């Protein structure tokens, strides 16, 4: 069970709310500073304009001034500090502010409070006397200042409901956004080895796929591959058990036969020992082939790349084939005169597997085997092709798609009449994959009917 604060929608909503809070605070501070600067500039303009109006009136000999009601003023002699005109008896006589508006604060100036003014003072020379003209605003009663003081509290009160609403809105949006992922997680919980065919839901059609759909498709593809691998390994385990079960059963049967009464029967002893040795060799062959498959598929056995001519490989194959099957006819047609770069030993093993299979299945029909080997290259000299054709029974339509499957012998019962372990062509396919090549099987009509296997490998690697 996921705890509330561990939930992704809650986490994202809280992060969004915190980011929004920070953004609102930053904007509020910037707005307050900009507004404060604008108000201060406006106040400075009012004070300066009022001081200039007083100076203009004095120059024209007037002693009355038309000023806004909220502005206090004083005019005094700069030398004697004698007050000449003022509309506020409590306004202190202050020095020239040098073209600026200045805050002036005196603690406990009044019985009930402090003096807090913003003033502008300028010096004016008139009729051989120097006057100081001072204008001021009471900051404790100025409406714009009071507004600025209350602005942070107002913003805070207004932002709180906005943040709460934003949290719930973002929570709903986030929850709806990740709901497909939650469904995928819930579905994935119930997918195991027994139901790998189950798939995660894909919400939209192909033309409107989103990231969640891409994730579901990716996992579905993974389940497809896992199912194929699992089915293959399950079949492989079953086939291995079947292949090893028969020789083990034969060995146990012959051993029990010898223990009961075969020890004193030389003919039976010799026969049983021969069968036990033969079946032991069969088991050894299966295990050796399985180990090679494992090494090739895991990449532990790496191809040793070398340059050689195919005609040298074919000459060796012909000599070896005639050495153990002198009656076999081997015909070679080599249209490839260039050297190939691959592992000669592994390629030799592939060809040997194919030729030995051809001889075995052809002779099982009572015929003498004829092997035709043909090699050529494509026009760009990038790939080399090798076909090995025999005059045997060929492949049935049912067997053709499965000839490279492990332990497949061309019949549904996996009988052992033809010999071998059924791993030869599987090993050949795995080797060709390691050599960056391929192998395919078909039935031939030229130069004679029978099985035809084609090897494709790059001329250079």
């Amino acid at each position: 069970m996921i705890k509330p604060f561990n939930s992704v929608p809650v986490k994202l909503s809280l992060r969004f709310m915190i980011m929004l809070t920070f953004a609102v605070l930053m904007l509020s501070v910037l707005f307050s500073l900009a507004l404060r600067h604008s108000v201060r500039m406006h106040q400075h303009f009012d004070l300066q304009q009022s001081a200039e109006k007083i100076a203009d009136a004095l120059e024209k000999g007037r002693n009355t001034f038309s000023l806004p009601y909220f502005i206090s003023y004083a005019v005094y002699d700069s030398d004697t500090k004698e007050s000449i005109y003022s509309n506020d008896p409590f306004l202190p006589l202050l020095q020239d502010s040098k073209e600026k508006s200045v805050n002036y604060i005196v603690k406990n100036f009044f019985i009930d409070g402090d003096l807090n003014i913003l003033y502008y003072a300028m010096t004016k020379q008139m009729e051989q006397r120097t006057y100081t003209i001072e204008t001021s605003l009471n900051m404790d009663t100025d409406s714009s200042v009071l507004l600025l003081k209350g602005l942070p509290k107002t913003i805070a009160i207004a932002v709180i409901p906005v943040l709460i609403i934003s949290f719930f809105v973002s929570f709903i949006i986030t929850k709806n956004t990740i709901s497909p992922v939650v469904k995928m997680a819930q579905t994935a919980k119930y997918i195991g080895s027994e139901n790998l065919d189950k798939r995660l839901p894909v919400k939209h059609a192909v033309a409107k796929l989103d990231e969640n759909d891409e994730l579901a498709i990716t996992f579905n593809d993974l389940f497809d591959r896992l199912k194929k691998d699992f089915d293959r390994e399950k079949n492989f385990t079953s086939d291995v058990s079947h292949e090893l079960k028969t020789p083990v059963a034969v060995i146990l049967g012959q051993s029990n036969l010898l223990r009961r009464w075969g020890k004193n029967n030389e003919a039976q002893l010799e026969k049983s020992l021969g069968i036990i040795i033969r079946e032991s060799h069969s088991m050894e062959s299966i295990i050796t082939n399985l180990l090679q498959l494992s090494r090739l598929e895991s990449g532990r056995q790496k191809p040793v790349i070398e340059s050689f001519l195919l005609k040298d490989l074919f000459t060796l194959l012909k000599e070896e084939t005639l050495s153990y099957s002198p009656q076999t006819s081997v015909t070679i047609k080599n249209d490839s005169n260039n050297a190939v770069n691959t592992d000669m030993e592994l390629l030799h093993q592939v060809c040997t597997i194919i030729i030995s299979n051809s001889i075995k299945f052809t002779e099982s029909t009572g015929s003498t085997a004829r092997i035709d080997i043909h090699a050529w290259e494509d026009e760009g000299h990038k790939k080399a092709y090798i076909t090995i054709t025999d005059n045997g029974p060929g492949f049935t339509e049912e067997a053709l798609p499965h000839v490279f499957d492990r332990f497949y012998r061309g019949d549904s019962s996996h009988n052992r009449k033809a010999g071998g372990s059924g791993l030869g062509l599987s090993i050949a396919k795995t080797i060709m994959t390691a050599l960056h090549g391929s192998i395919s099987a078909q039935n031939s009509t030229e130069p004679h009917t029978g099985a035809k296997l084609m090897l494709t490998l790059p001329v250079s690697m």
Side-chain angles (χ1 to χ4, degrees), residues 135-164:
T135 54
S136 68
L137 289 170
N138 189 342
M139 303 303 287
D140 289 332
T141 59
D142 188 86
S143 59
S144 58
V145 174
L146 296 175
L147 176 64
L148 287 174
K149 287 182 179 180
L151 185 62
K153 183 177 180 181
T154 303
I155 292 176
I157 295 174
V159 163
I160 290 174
V162 173
L163 295 178
I164 295 174

PDB file of all heavy atoms in Angstrom, residues 135-164:
ATOM      1  N   THR A 135       9.478  71.494   0.898  1.00  0.00           N
ATOM      2  CA  THR A 135       8.148  70.884   0.800  1.00  0.00           C
ATOM      3  C   THR A 135       8.240  69.458   1.365  1.00  0.00           C
ATOM      4  O   THR A 135       9.286  68.799   1.260  1.00  0.00           O
ATOM      5  CB  THR A 135       7.658  70.822  -0.655  1.00  0.00           C
ATOM      6  OG1 THR A 135       8.640  70.155  -1.459  1.00  0.00           O
ATOM      7  CG2 THR A 135       7.431  72.228  -1.208  1.00  0.00           C
ATOM      8  N   SER A 136       7.115  68.981   1.931  1.00  0.00           N
ATOM      9  CA  SER A 136       7.182  67.668   2.578  1.00  0.00           C
ATOM     10  C   SER A 136       5.833  66.973   2.540  1.00  0.00           C
ATOM     11  O   SER A 136       4.782  67.595   2.359  1.00  0.00           O
ATOM     12  CB  SER A 136       7.656  67.805   4.025  1.00  0.00           C
ATOM     13  OG  SER A 136       6.657  68.460   4.796  1.00  0.00           O
ATOM     14  N   LEU A 137       5.911  65.656   2.730  1.00  0.00           N
ATOM     15  CA  LEU A 137       4.727  64.795   2.840  1.00  0.00           C
ATOM     16  C   LEU A 137       4.803  64.040   4.153  1.00  0.00           C
ATOM     17  O   LEU A 137       5.870  63.517   4.532  1.00  0.00           O
ATOM     18  CB  LEU A 137       4.665  63.789   1.691  1.00  0.00           C
ATOM     19  CG  LEU A 137       4.331  64.322   0.294  1.00  0.00           C
ATOM     20  CD1 LEU A 137       4.554  63.214  -0.731  1.00  0.00           C
ATOM     21  CD2 LEU A 137       2.900  64.808   0.244  1.00  0.00           C
ATOM     22  N   ASN A 138       3.708  63.966   4.861  1.00  0.00           N
ATOM     23  CA  ASN A 138       3.629  63.168   6.085  1.00  0.00           C
ATOM     24  C   ASN A 138       3.451  61.701   5.689  1.00  0.00           C
ATOM     25  O   ASN A 138       2.393  61.298   5.195  1.00  0.00           O
ATOM     26  CB  ASN A 138       2.470  63.642   6.949  1.00  0.00           C
ATOM     27  CG  ASN A 138       2.486  62.982   8.316  1.00  0.00           C
ATOM     28  OD1 ASN A 138       3.133  61.956   8.520  1.00  0.00           O
ATOM     29  ND2 ASN A 138       1.772  63.586   9.255  1.00  0.00           N
ATOM     30  N   MET A 139       4.476  60.883   5.914  1.00  0.00           N
ATOM     31  CA  MET A 139       4.449  59.486   5.475  1.00  0.00           C
ATOM     32  C   MET A 139       3.493  58.626   6.306  1.00  0.00           C
ATOM     33  O   MET A 139       3.104  57.546   5.876  1.00  0.00           O
ATOM     34  CB  MET A 139       5.858  58.883   5.542  1.00  0.00           C
ATOM     35  CG  MET A 139       6.882  59.668   4.710  1.00  0.00           C
ATOM     36  SD  MET A 139       6.417  59.797   2.977  1.00  0.00           S
ATOM     37  CE  MET A 139       6.737  58.135   2.425  1.00  0.00           C
ATOM     38  N   ASP A 140       3.117  59.123   7.493  1.00  0.00           N
ATOM     39  CA  ASP A 140       2.193  58.357   8.329  1.00  0.00           C
ATOM     40  C   ASP A 140       0.749  58.494   7.882  1.00  0.00           C
ATOM     41  O   ASP A 140      -0.113  57.714   8.298  1.00  0.00           O
ATOM     42  CB  ASP A 140       2.313  58.802   9.787  1.00  0.00           C
ATOM     43  CG  ASP A 140       3.634  58.350  10.399  1.00  0.00           C
ATOM     44  OD1 ASP A 140       4.162  57.313   9.936  1.00  0.00           O
ATOM     45  OD2 ASP A 140       4.132  59.030  11.312  1.00  0.00           O
ATOM     46  N   THR A 141       0.479  59.528   7.087  1.00  0.00           N
ATOM     47  CA  THR A 141      -0.901  59.739   6.633  1.00  0.00           C
ATOM     48  C   THR A 141      -1.042  59.657   5.127  1.00  0.00           C
ATOM     49  O   THR A 141      -2.158  59.714   4.623  1.00  0.00           O
ATOM     50  CB  THR A 141      -1.392  61.120   7.106  1.00  0.00           C
ATOM     51  OG1 THR A 141      -0.530  62.142   6.565  1.00  0.00           O
ATOM     52  CG2 THR A 141      -1.405  61.207   8.623  1.00  0.00           C
ATOM     53  N   ASP A 142       0.051  59.468   4.416  1.00  0.00           N
ATOM     54  CA  ASP A 142      -0.016  59.394   2.954  1.00  0.00           C
ATOM     55  C   ASP A 142      -0.699  58.097   2.528  1.00  0.00           C
ATOM     56  O   ASP A 142      -0.301  57.003   2.938  1.00  0.00           O
ATOM     57  CB  ASP A 142       1.389  59.479   2.347  1.00  0.00           C
ATOM     58  CG  ASP A 142       1.350  59.589   0.844  1.00  0.00           C
ATOM     59  OD1 ASP A 142       1.225  60.716   0.329  1.00  0.00           O
ATOM     60  OD2 ASP A 142       1.428  58.524   0.198  1.00  0.00           O
ATOM     61  N   SER A 143      -1.730  58.196   1.721  1.00  0.00           N
ATOM     62  CA  SER A 143      -2.548  57.029   1.334  1.00  0.00           C
ATOM     63  C   SER A 143      -1.753  56.012   0.521  1.00  0.00           C
ATOM     64  O   SER A 143      -1.922  54.799   0.680  1.00  0.00           O
ATOM     65  CB  SER A 143      -3.775  57.486   0.542  1.00  0.00           C
ATOM     66  OG  SER A 143      -3.380  58.194  -0.627  1.00  0.00           O
ATOM     67  N   SER A 144      -0.906  56.473  -0.361  1.00  0.00           N
ATOM     68  CA  SER A 144      -0.120  55.545  -1.187  1.00  0.00           C
ATOM     69  C   SER A 144       0.862  54.755  -0.331  1.00  0.00           C
ATOM     70  O   SER A 144       1.087  53.549  -0.557  1.00  0.00           O
ATOM     71  CB  SER A 144       0.625  56.312  -2.282  1.00  0.00           C
ATOM     72  OG  SER A 144       1.478  57.294  -1.719  1.00  0.00           O
ATOM     73  N   VAL A 145       1.451  55.403   0.686  1.00  0.00           N
ATOM     74  CA  VAL A 145       2.372  54.699   1.576  1.00  0.00           C
ATOM     75  C   VAL A 145       1.622  53.663   2.400  1.00  0.00           C
ATOM     76  O   VAL A 145       2.085  52.534   2.610  1.00  0.00           O
ATOM     77  CB  VAL A 145       3.088  55.709   2.493  1.00  0.00           C
ATOM     78  CG1 VAL A 145       3.942  54.971   3.529  1.00  0.00           C
ATOM     79  CG2 VAL A 145       3.950  56.651   1.680  1.00  0.00           C
ATOM     80  N   LEU A 146       0.462  54.049   2.889  1.00  0.00           N
ATOM     81  CA  LEU A 146      -0.349  53.098   3.656  1.00  0.00           C
ATOM     82  C   LEU A 146      -0.743  51.897   2.794  1.00  0.00           C
ATOM     83  O   LEU A 146      -0.802  50.755   3.274  1.00  0.00           O
ATOM     84  CB  LEU A 146      -1.589  53.802   4.207  1.00  0.00           C
ATOM     85  CG  LEU A 146      -1.317  54.922   5.228  1.00  0.00           C
ATOM     86  CD1 LEU A 146      -2.627  55.628   5.602  1.00  0.00           C
ATOM     87  CD2 LEU A 146      -0.639  54.354   6.464  1.00  0.00           C
ATOM     88  N   LEU A 147      -1.045  52.206   1.536  1.00  0.00           N
ATOM     89  CA  LEU A 147      -1.391  51.108   0.618  1.00  0.00           C
ATOM     90  C   LEU A 147      -0.225  50.150   0.436  1.00  0.00           C
ATOM     91  O   LEU A 147      -0.390  48.925   0.442  1.00  0.00           O
ATOM     92  CB  LEU A 147      -1.832  51.685  -0.727  1.00  0.00           C
ATOM     93  CG  LEU A 147      -2.143  50.666  -1.833  1.00  0.00           C
ATOM     94  CD1 LEU A 147      -3.339  49.812  -1.426  1.00  0.00           C
ATOM     95  CD2 LEU A 147      -2.439  51.387  -3.153  1.00  0.00           C
ATOM     96  N   LEU A 148       0.966  50.692   0.277  1.00  0.00           N
ATOM     97  CA  LEU A 148       2.142  49.845   0.103  1.00  0.00           C
ATOM     98  C   LEU A 148       2.422  49.003   1.339  1.00  0.00           C
ATOM     99  O   LEU A 148       2.855  47.854   1.238  1.00  0.00           O
ATOM    100  CB  LEU A 148       3.361  50.711  -0.220  1.00  0.00           C
ATOM    101  CG  LEU A 148       3.396  51.323  -1.636  1.00  0.00           C
ATOM    102  CD1 LEU A 148       4.579  52.271  -1.770  1.00  0.00           C
ATOM    103  CD2 LEU A 148       3.478  50.221  -2.689  1.00  0.00           C
ATOM    104  N   LYS A 149       2.187  49.589   2.525  1.00  0.00           N
ATOM    105  CA  LYS A 149       2.406  48.831   3.753  1.00  0.00           C
ATOM    106  C   LYS A 149       1.460  47.636   3.859  1.00  0.00           C
ATOM    107  O   LYS A 149       1.826  46.569   4.365  1.00  0.00           O
ATOM    108  CB  LYS A 149       2.222  49.745   4.962  1.00  0.00           C
ATOM    109  CG  LYS A 149       3.359  50.735   5.166  1.00  0.00           C
ATOM    110  CD  LYS A 149       3.126  51.568   6.419  1.00  0.00           C
ATOM    111  CE  LYS A 149       4.285  52.539   6.646  1.00  0.00           C
ATOM    112  NZ  LYS A 149       4.070  53.373   7.864  1.00  0.00           N
ATOM    113  N   GLY A 150       0.226  47.811   3.408  1.00  0.00           N
ATOM    114  CA  GLY A 150      -0.751  46.723   3.516  1.00  0.00           C
ATOM    115  C   GLY A 150      -0.731  45.749   2.354  1.00  0.00           C
ATOM    116  O   GLY A 150      -1.434  44.729   2.386  1.00  0.00           O
ATOM    117  N   LEU A 151       0.087  46.076   1.328  1.00  0.00           N
ATOM    118  CA  LEU A 151       0.096  45.234   0.124  1.00  0.00           C
ATOM    119  C   LEU A 151       0.574  43.802   0.402  1.00  0.00           C
ATOM    120  O   LEU A 151      -0.070  42.852  -0.059  1.00  0.00           O
ATOM    121  CB  LEU A 151       0.961  45.888  -0.956  1.00  0.00           C
ATOM    122  CG  LEU A 151       0.980  45.188  -2.313  1.00  0.00           C
ATOM    123  CD1 LEU A 151      -0.425  45.159  -2.917  1.00  0.00           C
ATOM    124  CD2 LEU A 151       1.952  45.892  -3.256  1.00  0.00           C
ATOM    125  N   PRO A 152       1.698  43.554   1.139  1.00  0.00           N
ATOM    126  CA  PRO A 152       2.140  42.173   1.377  1.00  0.00           C
ATOM    127  C   PRO A 152       1.081  41.327   2.071  1.00  0.00           C
ATOM    128  O   PRO A 152       0.872  40.166   1.710  1.00  0.00           O
ATOM    129  CB  PRO A 152       3.381  42.354   2.255  1.00  0.00           C
ATOM    130  CG  PRO A 152       3.878  43.711   1.934  1.00  0.00           C
ATOM    131  CD  PRO A 152       2.649  44.532   1.679  1.00  0.00           C
ATOM    132  N   LYS A 153       0.406  41.913   3.065  1.00  0.00           N
ATOM    133  CA  LYS A 153      -0.638  41.158   3.770  1.00  0.00           C
ATOM    134  C   LYS A 153      -1.790  40.821   2.837  1.00  0.00           C
ATOM    135  O   LYS A 153      -2.329  39.709   2.862  1.00  0.00           O
ATOM    136  CB  LYS A 153      -1.127  41.986   4.959  1.00  0.00           C
ATOM    137  CG  LYS A 153      -2.155  41.268   5.808  1.00  0.00           C
ATOM    138  CD  LYS A 153      -2.554  42.110   7.003  1.00  0.00           C
ATOM    139  CE  LYS A 153      -3.591  41.372   7.863  1.00  0.00           C
ATOM    140  NZ  LYS A 153      -4.004  42.205   9.018  1.00  0.00           N
ATOM    141  N   THR A 154      -2.151  41.798   1.998  1.00  0.00           N
ATOM    142  CA  THR A 154      -3.254  41.566   1.050  1.00  0.00           C
ATOM    143  C   THR A 154      -2.900  40.452   0.068  1.00  0.00           C
ATOM    144  O   THR A 154      -3.718  39.575  -0.233  1.00  0.00           O
ATOM    145  CB  THR A 154      -3.561  42.859   0.280  1.00  0.00           C
ATOM    146  OG1 THR A 154      -3.872  43.898   1.215  1.00  0.00           O
ATOM    147  CG2 THR A 154      -4.734  42.656  -0.661  1.00  0.00           C
ATOM    148  N   ILE A 155      -1.640  40.493  -0.430  1.00  0.00           N
ATOM    149  CA  ILE A 155      -1.202  39.457  -1.384  1.00  0.00           C
ATOM    150  C   ILE A 155      -1.197  38.094  -0.711  1.00  0.00           C
ATOM    151  O   ILE A 155      -1.630  37.090  -1.297  1.00  0.00           O
ATOM    152  CB  ILE A 155       0.194  39.805  -1.932  1.00  0.00           C
ATOM    153  CG1 ILE A 155       0.110  41.041  -2.822  1.00  0.00           C
ATOM    154  CG2 ILE A 155       0.770  38.624  -2.717  1.00  0.00           C
ATOM    155  CD1 ILE A 155       1.440  41.527  -3.327  1.00  0.00           C
ATOM    156  N   ALA A 156      -0.708  38.027   0.527  1.00  0.00           N
ATOM    157  CA  ALA A 156      -0.652  36.749   1.243  1.00  0.00           C
ATOM    158  C   ALA A 156      -2.039  36.152   1.425  1.00  0.00           C
ATOM    159  O   ALA A 156      -2.257  34.955   1.226  1.00  0.00           O
ATOM    160  CB  ALA A 156       0.031  36.942   2.592  1.00  0.00           C
ATOM    161  N   ILE A 157      -3.004  37.015   1.823  1.00  0.00           N
ATOM    162  CA  ILE A 157      -4.374  36.533   2.018  1.00  0.00           C
ATOM    163  C   ILE A 157      -4.976  36.054   0.705  1.00  0.00           C
ATOM    164  O   ILE A 157      -5.687  35.042   0.649  1.00  0.00           O
ATOM    165  CB  ILE A 157      -5.234  37.645   2.650  1.00  0.00           C
ATOM    166  CG1 ILE A 157      -4.715  37.965   4.062  1.00  0.00           C
ATOM    167  CG2 ILE A 157      -6.701  37.237   2.689  1.00  0.00           C
ATOM    168  CD1 ILE A 157      -5.403  39.154   4.700  1.00  0.00           C
ATOM    169  N   ALA A 158      -4.658  36.773  -0.398  1.00  0.00           N
ATOM    170  CA  ALA A 158      -5.226  36.405  -1.702  1.00  0.00           C
ATOM    171  C   ALA A 158      -4.575  35.154  -2.275  1.00  0.00           C
ATOM    172  O   ALA A 158      -5.221  34.374  -2.994  1.00  0.00           O
ATOM    173  CB  ALA A 158      -5.071  37.572  -2.676  1.00  0.00           C
ATOM    174  N   VAL A 159      -3.283  34.915  -1.942  1.00  0.00           N
ATOM    175  CA  VAL A 159      -2.544  33.799  -2.541  1.00  0.00           C
ATOM    176  C   VAL A 159      -2.925  32.468  -1.905  1.00  0.00           C
ATOM    177  O   VAL A 159      -2.926  31.429  -2.577  1.00  0.00           O
ATOM    178  CB  VAL A 159      -1.021  34.057  -2.409  1.00  0.00           C
ATOM    179  CG1 VAL A 159      -0.233  32.776  -2.621  1.00  0.00           C
ATOM    180  CG2 VAL A 159      -0.588  35.096  -3.424  1.00  0.00           C
ATOM    181  N   ILE A 160      -3.238  32.463  -0.621  1.00  0.00           N
ATOM    182  CA  ILE A 160      -3.522  31.200   0.084  1.00  0.00           C
ATOM    183  C   ILE A 160      -4.610  30.378  -0.605  1.00  0.00           C
ATOM    184  O   ILE A 160      -4.408  29.191  -0.903  1.00  0.00           O
ATOM    185  CB  ILE A 160      -3.873  31.478   1.562  1.00  0.00           C
ATOM    186  CG1 ILE A 160      -2.620  31.953   2.303  1.00  0.00           C
ATOM    187  CG2 ILE A 160      -4.446  30.226   2.222  1.00  0.00           C
ATOM    188  CD1 ILE A 160      -2.884  32.380   3.725  1.00  0.00           C
ATOM    189  N   PRO A 161      -5.790  30.936  -0.918  1.00  0.00           N
ATOM    190  CA  PRO A 161      -6.798  30.109  -1.618  1.00  0.00           C
ATOM    191  C   PRO A 161      -6.347  29.701  -3.016  1.00  0.00           C
ATOM    192  O   PRO A 161      -6.703  28.613  -3.495  1.00  0.00           O
ATOM    193  CB  PRO A 161      -8.029  31.018  -1.667  1.00  0.00           C
ATOM    194  CG  PRO A 161      -7.523  32.396  -1.447  1.00  0.00           C
ATOM    195  CD  PRO A 161      -6.339  32.257  -0.564  1.00  0.00           C
ATOM    196  N   VAL A 162      -5.553  30.590  -3.665  1.00  0.00           N
ATOM    197  CA  VAL A 162      -5.062  30.231  -5.007  1.00  0.00           C
ATOM    198  C   VAL A 162      -4.160  29.008  -4.929  1.00  0.00           C
ATOM    199  O   VAL A 162      -4.248  28.087  -5.759  1.00  0.00           O
ATOM    200  CB  VAL A 162      -4.304  31.425  -5.634  1.00  0.00           C
ATOM    201  CG1 VAL A 162      -3.648  31.005  -6.942  1.00  0.00           C
ATOM    202  CG2 VAL A 162      -5.248  32.582  -5.866  1.00  0.00           C
ATOM    203  N   LEU A 163      -3.297  28.965  -3.907  1.00  0.00           N
ATOM    204  CA  LEU A 163      -2.387  27.824  -3.752  1.00  0.00           C
ATOM    205  C   LEU A 163      -3.155  26.550  -3.436  1.00  0.00           C
ATOM    206  O   LEU A 163      -2.833  25.472  -3.951  1.00  0.00           O
ATOM    207  CB  LEU A 163      -1.374  28.121  -2.646  1.00  0.00           C
ATOM    208  CG  LEU A 163      -0.394  29.268  -2.914  1.00  0.00           C
ATOM    209  CD1 LEU A 163       0.513  29.479  -1.715  1.00  0.00           C
ATOM    210  CD2 LEU A 163       0.429  28.992  -4.162  1.00  0.00           C
ATOM    211  N   ILE A 164      -4.148  26.646  -2.578  1.00  0.00           N
ATOM    212  CA  ILE A 164      -4.938  25.459  -2.234  1.00  0.00           C
ATOM    213  C   ILE A 164      -5.660  24.928  -3.471  1.00  0.00           C
ATOM    214  O   ILE A 164      -5.659  23.715  -3.733  1.00  0.00           O
ATOM    215  CB  ILE A 164      -5.937  25.799  -1.109  1.00  0.00           C
ATOM    216  CG1 ILE A 164      -5.194  26.157   0.185  1.00  0.00           C
ATOM    217  CG2 ILE A 164      -6.902  24.639  -0.872  1.00  0.00           C
ATOM    218  CD1 ILE A 164      -6.085  26.648   1.294  1.00  0.00           C
TER     219      ILE A 164
END
